[in-house]
Amino acid sequence: MIDQDLGYSGASTADRLGFQRLVAEVGLGQVGLVLGLEVSRLARNSSDWHHLLEICALTHTLILDEEGLYDPSTFNDRLLLGREAAR
């Protein structure tokens, strides 16, 4: 569980050590599922969000939020998750 970025804006990952740790652990294949109440709030910056999605797709890491379960390695789920960042 990573909750150290509570209260920080998702506009940038510069001072968000929790998000940086999440990306690193997903990249190392140590995460099987990213769970969030509203995953679009993980990163408001589209490039940061899409970078995380790319790494999740490469490591077969699933994403779960209140809307459903997504597999970023599938085309349709990536389309749906890409829209999450636009919210």
Side-chain angles (χ1 to χ4, degrees), residues 10-79:
S12 171
T13 60
D15 294 320
R16 296 183 58 218
L17 297 178
F19 184 82
Q20 294 170 10
R21 183 175 148 213
L22 172 66
V23 171
E25 289 190 21
V26 169
L28 291 171
Q30 297 177 352
V31 177
L33 176 73
V34 174
L35 171 64
L37 295 177
E38 189 177 336
V39 293
S40 66
R41 299 191 56 81
L42 283 175
R44 290 291 187 193
N45 180 324
S46 289
S47 65
D48 294 334
W49 174 245
H50 288 284
H51 180 72
L52 176 60
L53 290 180
E54 190 74 28
I55 294 171
C56 285
L58 292 171
T59 59
H60 303 286
T61 302
L62 302 176
I63 297 178
L64 177 69
D65 71 3
E66 78 280 0
E67 298 293 323
L69 179 66
Y70 305 96
D71 180 354
S73 66
T74 66
F75 179 76
N76 286 338
D77 283 359
R78 282 189 72 130
L79 284 175

